[in-house]
Amino acid sequence: MKAIIVGGGIGGLTAAVAFHQRGWQVEVLERAPEFTEVGAGLVVQPNGLRALDTLGLGDPLRAKGLSDPLPGIRHKSGGWLTRIDVDDLKRRFGQWVTEHRADLVDLLRAGVPEDSLRPGTEVRQVRTDGTVIHNNGTSTGDLVVGADGVRSVTRRSIWPHAPAPRYVGYTTWRLIAPPQPIEGHRETWGSGERFGYQPLPDGRVYCYMIVNAPAGSRGDLTDLRERFADWHDPIPALLNSVPEDAVVQHDSYELPNLSTYVAGKIALLGDAAHAMTPNLGQGACQALEDAVTLATVVDTLGVPAGLEAYDHARRPRTQMIVRRSRQFGTTAHWTSATLTALRDVVLPRLPESFIDRSLAPAYTWTI
Ligand SMILES: Cc1cc2nc3c(=O)[nH]c(=O)nc-3n(C[C@H](O)[C@H](O)[C@H](O)COP(=O)(O)OP(=O)(O)OC[C@H]3O[C@@H](n4cnc5c(N)ncnc54)[C@H](O)[C@@H]3O)c2cc1C
């Protein structure tokens, strides 16, 4: 049996490892000249680690160093808006890991035979019979996995009338700062703007900024230094410690709910199926869950029964997480002085059980 995988990001490579481990031939078509990821960190939460465990890849990631979940949200002056008991979270749900994205990609890539990887291959069209047309010719498989991200050509080929991704009103910047002492994972909210930072296992510091802005508006490090100059320590120092070209910017898009993730010999996974806001840090974790579930059910039940089982297992869950992720970010991006003042009074008084109800469903997944 052969699986053609369109896209060699975290979702596509995980699918490739999962099918390869089950004895399938795999071919990963990636348009970029090499398999790598943007210069940023990635939090793999307990559910994502559990998915990697099914492939024997959870422990190699844990061995590099565990991290703590976000212990709450701070105000730009430094005071706490909410607190979460991280020890309780870890006891109930498992471990967290924060990695450089490229390290996770390298780990996954090592689990796929080198001759299955086809970088520099841009897919142009996909058909339900398992034919994939690309710049280097045509590939055919018993299954085609569309793991080609939010602007998926697979999705547009098979469902030309599916709703387009929707800009959610905020843009993100990410960077890796040189090693420096910081307390742990922190996130701070202002008015329509957020700053998060957390240490990587080697001491470098992954930083992310999420700011309300019209789609397509650009900003560089100088703008960011100005914007966050009066935020609590160590935020200004982190921004001052990186060179001008260290920052990558992406606008945030969310995919409106699709009515199915499967058709004929095709399955969508990851951002191609359910691109979501970054608010819960669950996009890649859901892609990991998708990939191992898909390989399990299709290998066991075949096509089409396995694809139906995949759609049934994954669509309700991932669409619920897309919705929760959007809701979780809403209050962070209020700009009205009245609403943010109200938020700053109400948030510290929210019972922990309220926050727990938003987060727990994401963490408790098992295959
Ligand atoms: C600021 C920010 C922070 C985030 N933090 C987290 C986090 O901490 N934890 C978490 O779990 N998630 C996080 N996410 C979400 C996560 O990054 C994504 O959900 C995840 O990377 C999606 O993986 P994917 O493989 O589905 O898609 P992608 O990473 O988009 O990969 C798609 C691949 O397909 C390739 N491709 C596209 N079109 C074609 C084509 N036509 N032919 C061939 N190849 C093609 C692309 O080059 C790419 O390599 C964050 C997102 C943002 C924006």
Side-chain angles (χ1 to χ4, degrees):
M1 301 290 277
K2 181 173 181 183
I4 310 287
I5 294 161
V6 183
I10 289 166
L13 286 173
T14 308
V17 176
F19 279 101
H20 172 64
Q21 287 189 356
R22 289 176 172 271
W24 285 52
Q25 195 189 340
V26 294
E27 188 179 342
V28 188
L29 311 176
E30 167 56 52
R31 72 175 166 200
E34 54 179 336
F35 288 79
T36 188
E37 260 282 359
V38 291
L42 182 80
V43 185
V44 186
Q45 308 199 49
N47 54 311
L49 278 173
R50 240 172 267 130
L52 287 168
D53 280 334
T54 69
L55 305 175
L57 297 178
D59 282 343
L61 211 59
R62 289 184 186 95
K64 288 169 168 248
L66 300 175
S67 60
D68 272 342
L70 189 65
I73 305 292
R74 290 166 84 180
H75 184 264
K76 67 190 234 187
S77 62
W80 288 92
L81 291 172
T82 61
R83 298 284 333 230
I84 302 173
D85 180 346
V86 294
D87 292 328
D88 179 54
L89 279 186
K90 289 191 287 187
R91 211 167 26 247
R92 287 163 55 213
F93 301 116
Q95 293 162 322
W96 268 251
V97 162
T98 303
E99 260 305 327
H100 194 292
R101 283 174 176 254
D103 290 342
L104 177 57
V105 165
D106 286 349
L107 182 71
L108 292 167
R109 206 183 47 183
V112 185
E114 196 61 38
D115 60 4
S116 299
L117 300 174
R118 300 187 61 186
T121 305
E122 173 149 14
V123 169
R124 296 188 173 140
Q125 208 200 344
V126 177
R127 298 191 189 135
T128 49
D129 65 359
T131 308
V132 179
I133 298 160
H134 48 77
N135 59 335
N136 294 319
T138 299
S139 301
T140 49
D142 301 289
L143 175 72
V144 177
V145 181
D148 44 349
V150 61
R151 304 265 163 219
S152 170
V153 166
T154 312
R155 188 181 66 239
R156 284 184 282 135
S157 296
I158 308 290
W159 294 274
H161 303 298
R166 183 180 69 85
Y167 180 59
V168 296
Y170 34 90
T171 189
T172 65
W173 290 266
R174 285 171 284 177
L175 59 86
I176 307 278
Q180 47 202 293
I182 58 157
E183 324 87 313
H185 188 181
R186 298 287 183 267
E187 184 170 310
T188 302
W189 290 3
S191 159
E193 49 197 4
R194 286 190 271 170
F195 194 108
Y197 57 89
Q198 56 188 311
L200 294 176
D202 63 4
R204 289 181 297 165
V205 185
Y206 163 48
C207 303
Y208 55 90
M209 290 135 271
I210 309 180
V211 170
N212 289 3
S217 56
R218 300 294 96 182
D220 61 15
L221 197 54
T222 311
D223 302 319
L224 295 171
R225 284 176 180 147
E226 243 171 65
R227 179 183 286 276
F228 294 104
D230 63 347
W231 286 42
H232 67 78
D233 289 337
I235 291 172
L238 282 166
L239 287 172
N240 287 329
S241 70
V242 291
E244 298 298 325
D245 60 354
V247 64
V248 290
Q249 184 185 357
H250 291 98
D251 288 349
S252 280
Y253 282 84
E254 180 188 86
L255 194 62
N257 285 351
L258 299 179
S259 56
T260 178
Y261 291 173
V262 301
K265 294 183 175 178
I266 315 300
L268 296 178
L269 65 70
D271 280 9
H274 46 69
M276 63 185 75
T277 56
N279 303 321
L280 291 183
Q282 274 288 332
C285 293
Q286 291 306 308
L288 295 171
E289 289 184 18
D290 288 344
V292 300
T293 305
L294 180 66
T296 304
V297 293
V298 171
D299 188 49
T300 310
L301 303 173
V303 176
L307 287 184
E308 276 168 33
Y310 168 74
D311 186 50
H312 187 72
R314 297 303 304 158
R315 197 157 42 83
R317 172 168 170 77
T318 49
Q319 292 180 347
M320 175 270 290
I321 290 179
V322 170
R323 191 175 63 249
R324 286 186 188 225
S325 183
R326 183 194 321 125
Q327 289 163 347
F328 196 77
T330 304
T331 46
H333 289 277
W334 282 343
T335 48
S336 136
T338 314
L339 284 178
T340 46
L342 185 68
R343 176 195 74 190
D344 295 353
V345 172
V346 171
L347 270 186
R349 289 171 173 75
L350 278 183
E352 238 181 71
S353 59
F354 180 84
I355 299 164
D356 201 73
R357 275 200 300 277
S358 328
L359 302 176
Y363 301 149
T364 49
W365 175 87
T366 49
I367 196 162

